[in-house]
Amino acid sequence: MAPVLGLNPGMSAITPAFADEAPNGLKWRHGVSTFGEIKYPADFKRYDYVNPDAPKGGVARLFELGTYDSFNMVVAGFKGTVASGVGRIYDSLMDASSDEPDTYYGTLAEAAAFPDDFSYVIYRLRAGARWHDGKLITPEDVVFSFGALKTNSPMFSSYYRHIEKAEQIGERDIKFTFDSPGNRELPMITGQLVVLPKHWWEGIDAQGNKRDITATTLEPPLGSGPYRIKEFAAGRSLVLERVKDYWGKDNPNAVGQNNFDELRYEFFRDDTVGREALKADQFDWYSERSAKEWSVAYDVPAVRDGRLIKELFPVRNQGRMQGWVFNLRRPKFADARLRRAFNYAFDFEEMNRVLSSGVYHRDSSYFDGIPDLMASGLPEGLELQILETVRDKVPPDVFTAPYKDPVGGDPEAVRSNLREATRLLKEAGFEIRDRKLVDSSGQPFTVEILGASADPGMERIALFYKPSLERLGITVNLRPVDIVQLQNRLRDFDFELTTTVWGQSISPGNEERDFFGSQAADRPGSRNLAGIKNPAVDAIIERIIFAKSRAEQVAASKALDRVLLWNFYCVPHFNYDQQRYVRWDRFNHPDLLPKYGVSGFPNLWWYDAAKAAKLKGS
């Protein structure tokens, strides 16, 4: 999910008493928020949810699925696979608080200022911010970073496309100018900018070659953040070490955090091997995605005696839709009735019972997990007004019927759903010949499900789904690929049906263009995997982005949700409102974890020497 910021005109953030006014008579802000006055004042010392006395030291070993071949995050998603953890070596202009929804405070920037029409933003850098080589971070670095990301990153070229330019306007001030007023997110999106060292990227490497920010590299980059790369084994492991003289260690949004001396990322090709490695104490912390494995895979002595802990953490800060997504670039999926038939063939209830012990609920929204944004019932009020503006471009059912996924779970319901799927297919011009589904030209209909073999959990679900599709006469192939092949094929949109997840923030905005917008549909590496090109979707996304109030943002989000659902761009999977973690008991955390931080690991946790010694002696 892309984090998103916004500030409504009538919801002003607390303004600190800076020594001077910002340019053009504006006032400096030390923090900004979507939802009103921010919690922490200008002189705050730390977040409430941290332990300011947390001891520094120890090692945290982290599991990562897959591999990597680059440390250059600028071309991530387009060239190479970037190692997890690399982002920790950099600072951004602002960072998010975890006990407020969509509220950010200055990191590299000490303050921001922007006019009431949101036509530009000015950031002022902190005077003491510096790179790990001791050089000061300058406005030139910020301008360089913006240009590098917007020009070379498929994701950021879309995310920043309404930011026309960045320019230095003072000793420590940078102005970002937007292509039009009214986009209240843009000043804050700019604050998420990760700043890169211009002098390093334009310099020479140890072999005397000029560095190239448009190419993959395994040369450890220069950073400014709380960690730096210590060592690595390409594709297999990465070790970050804490920067003990980190320039920002006393910043309010860093106190009590970044407590481990080392973060060790261990890369595994699949979860099955990873689980066994965890139980053998080869790493410390694992996010368990499978309900079945959570139930059956950890009946081991270390769990029974409390050395290896299973723990659930509530998820309150994000929504999502997970499902099998159709590649609409393939003409075979052009008819929404065919796509809907695929949904009728998925017996979620039986799959949930057999494979997942019944713990999941089915995704019924592209904002599942954020009730305020989920479409329900029939549209009314402002949502209905928004939908009326695109009435001629959306399915009629948007206005006349609440969206509901088919319900299975027993033989009669399954038969009824398959009959409805058959009816839809016939209506779309398909028929059964010799027990095979054929199109109007007599060609058999086949579908390839890509990527299931790269994830054993998804493979089980695909194997469960396959016989139901075959009962409709559809020939189904499961294409085995490894993680790297999967990433490359998805980057080039080389698939028919695959699994994806669209993550959503509490305050949706510009990222919706990259998820569902027409301009992203044919851009390699974009997150519009489905290839959606729908003028109604585009128009509603603009209503979300240019909403003048939270009420309008909510109404437009519900309208978007409803239009996406009724176009059947995916076969919805399932969701769970808690995150499952398994960890070795050698760590500790603050008594009160933040509402929007899930587990807070590893940022807020610390190494507990007494617990570690007890583990070692057991």
Side-chain angles (χ1 to χ4, degrees):
M1 170 183 79
V4 181
L5 292 168
L7 187 68
N8 294 334
M11 303 179 179
S12 60
I14 297 171
T15 302
F18 287 98
D20 63 330
E21 280 194 340
N24 304 328
L26 302 176
K27 292 184 178 181
W28 290 115
R29 306 168 187 265
H30 75 288
V32 290
S33 173
T34 302
F35 296 109
E37 290 198 348
I38 62 181
K39 176 178 180 179
Y40 296 98
D43 60 351
F44 83 107
K45 304 302 181 186
R46 63 175 178 86
Y47 293 132
D48 290 346
Y49 52 81
V50 305
N51 174 8
D53 301 316
K56 305 290 186 183
V59 176
R61 302 168 299 166
L62 308 173
F63 167 89
E64 291 294 335
L65 183 64
T67 185
Y68 70 90
D69 59 7
S70 179
F71 294 140
N72 184 2
M73 59 179 291
V74 171
V75 292
F78 183 62
K79 294 180 181 178
T81 302
V82 177
S84 300
V86 168
R88 293 183 181 274
I89 75 172
Y90 298 112
D91 283 319
S92 54
L93 292 174
M94 306 190 89
D95 281 304
S97 161
S98 293
D99 61 350
E100 305 167 83
D102 288 327
T103 302
Y104 283 56
Y105 297 90
T107 303
L108 286 176
E110 66 179 17
F114 47 86
D116 291 341
D117 69 355
F118 307 98
S119 58
Y120 65 88
V121 65
I122 298 168
Y123 277 96
R124 171 161 289 181
L125 294 177
R126 295 188 188 273
R130 66 181 187 271
W131 301 105
H132 294 157
D133 64 1
K135 294 182 182 294
L136 290 177
I137 297 171
T138 68
E140 283 189 329
D141 293 314
V142 179
V143 173
F144 167 80
S145 302
F146 169 73
L149 288 165
K150 185 176 180 181
T151 302
N152 301 299
S153 166
M155 183 183 77
F156 285 106
S157 66
S158 173
Y159 201 49
Y160 292 157
R161 69 187 174 96
H162 291 287
I163 307 176
E164 283 194 331
K165 64 178 178 177
E167 58 186 327
Q168 180 174 353
I169 62 169
E171 182 182 1
R172 291 186 284 127
D173 296 348
I174 309 97
K175 179 181 179 182
F176 297 86
T177 302
F178 310 139
D179 62 359
S180 64
N183 189 333
R184 65 194 61 248
E185 274 197 322
L186 286 179
M188 282 58 78
I189 283 175
T190 309
Q192 301 164 9
L193 179 70
V194 173
V195 179
L196 309 169
K198 179 181 179 182
H199 70 281
W200 190 87
W201 280 104
E202 292 186 344
I204 304 299
D205 65 20
Q207 286 73 44
N209 300 313
K210 191 177 187 306
R211 297 187 179 97
D212 181 1
I213 202 164
T214 69
T216 61
T217 181
L218 285 173
E219 180 187 12
L222 176 69
S224 64
Y227 287 91
R228 63 163 61 96
I229 295 176
K230 177 183 179 181
E231 60 189 54
F232 66 96
R236 294 177 12 227
S237 65
L238 173 67
V239 180
L240 303 183
E241 64 177 350
R242 185 168 59 87
V243 179
K244 295 183 179 178
D245 63 346
Y246 169 49
W247 74 271
K249 60 183 173 56
D250 296 322
N251 279 356
N253 57 0
V255 170
Q257 303 191 56
N258 308 309
N259 300 314
F260 293 103
D261 276 350
E262 288 187 0
L263 297 175
R264 294 177 173 264
Y265 295 83
E266 304 291 343
F267 292 78
F268 292 82
R269 292 300 180 118
D270 65 66
D271 286 296
T272 302
V273 175
R275 290 186 192 96
E276 296 309 308
L278 173 72
K279 288 182 277 190
D281 200 7
Q282 293 183 28
F283 61 91
D284 298 304
W285 181 275
Y286 181 66
S287 174
E288 179 55 78
R289 295 173 296 142
S290 168
K292 177 183 178 182
E293 298 300 330
W294 178 259
S295 299
V296 304
Y298 299 100
D299 185 15
V300 295
V303 172
R304 290 194 291 269
D305 61 26
R307 291 175 293 135
L308 188 60
I309 296 173
K310 295 171 64 181
E311 196 164 9
L312 293 171
F313 293 90
V315 178
R316 305 186 184 97
N317 65 334
Q318 55 189 266
R320 53 171 252 167
M321 166 65 84
Q322 175 180 301
W324 278 298
V325 59
F326 301 94
N327 187 351
L328 302 181
R329 302 167 191 85
R330 306 289 175 93
K332 67 197 304 179
F333 299 119
D335 197 309
R337 292 167 294 188
L338 177 136
R339 302 194 299 268
R340 190 176 188 181
F342 270 71
N343 197 8
Y344 273 99
F346 183 40
D347 185 1
F348 163 75
E349 287 72 22
E350 183 67 5
M351 181 281 301
N352 191 30
R353 183 186 69 81
V354 172
L355 300 184
S356 303
S357 305
V359 302
Y360 292 112
H361 69 266
R362 192 165 191 197
D363 278 322
S364 59
S365 165
Y366 281 78
F367 298 92
D368 197 283
I370 310 175
D372 287 351
L373 305 182
M374 297 169 62
S376 61
L378 292 176
E380 58 185 21
L382 184 53
E383 182 196 354
L384 178 58
Q385 293 177 31
I386 292 169
L387 288 168
E388 287 287 0
T389 66
V390 293
R391 178 181 278 273
D392 61 332
K393 300 180 181 67
V394 301
D397 287 339
V398 163
F399 296 93
T400 60
Y403 177 86
K404 293 181 180 179
D405 285 311
V407 176
D410 64 71
E412 182 52 40
V414 170
R415 285 192 293 270
S416 176
N417 288 338
L418 291 176
R419 283 194 295 270
E420 178 62 14
T422 300
R423 185 192 70 78
L424 288 165
L425 291 169
K426 184 176 181 180
E427 193 176 281
F430 294 89
E431 61 178 280
I432 299 291
R433 293 181 189 170
D434 298 325
R435 304 181 67 179
K436 297 293 183 183
L437 188 71
V438 299
D439 62 21
S440 57
S441 66
Q443 293 299 310
F445 189 91
T446 65
V447 65
E448 177 184 279
I449 301 178
L450 177 69
S453 62
D455 180 340
M458 281 298 112
E459 185 173 30
R460 286 195 296 270
I461 296 168
L463 288 170
F464 177 89
Y465 188 32
K466 184 174 183 282
S468 295
L469 293 174
E470 290 173 338
R471 288 178 68 180
L472 296 175
I474 298 171
T475 300
V476 182
N477 299 309
L478 303 186
R479 171 68 63 165
V481 293
D482 62 24
I483 291 292
V484 174
Q485 290 176 304
L486 176 62
Q487 291 171 338
N488 289 335
R489 288 190 60 176
L490 294 183
R491 186 180 299 143
D492 295 332
F493 307 129
D494 181 17
F495 71 94
E496 291 189 343
L497 196 68
T498 193
T499 298
T500 197
V501 178
W502 291 280
Q504 296 283 0
S505 78
I506 297 171
S507 180
N510 287 264
E511 76 282 359
E512 306 304 319
R513 289 177 176 143
D514 199 42
F515 290 162
F516 311 117
S518 297
Q519 288 195 358
D522 296 323
R523 191 181 68 247
S526 87
R527 292 175 289 179
N528 187 351
L529 271 186
I532 297 168
K533 293 181 179 180
N534 185 322
V537 170
D538 292 336
I540 295 171
I541 288 172
E542 296 307 295
R543 288 295 297 265
I544 294 173
I545 292 170
F546 289 93
K548 294 180 174 61
S549 67
R550 174 63 177 172
E552 184 179 358
Q553 183 190 55
V554 167
S557 298
K558 289 183 175 181
L560 176 65
D561 189 29
R562 199 179 299 272
V563 171
L564 292 172
L565 288 168
W566 276 109
N567 275 285
F568 307 102
Y569 293 130
C570 77
V571 177
H573 281 181
F574 42 81
N575 202 355
Y576 188 53
D577 61 1
Q578 298 187 85
Q579 183 63 60
R580 313 174 190 90
Y581 289 106
V582 188
R583 62 180 172 90
W584 286 95
D585 188 23
R586 50 174 63 95
F587 309 112
N588 216 331
H589 64 78
D591 293 335
L592 178 66
L593 288 172
K595 181 177 181 180
Y596 300 111
V598 193
S599 72
F601 189 86
N603 289 18
L604 308 180
W605 294 55
W606 60 89
Y607 184 79
D608 190 313
K611 287 183 175 181
K614 184 178 178 181
L615 269 184
K616 189 175 181 180
S618 61

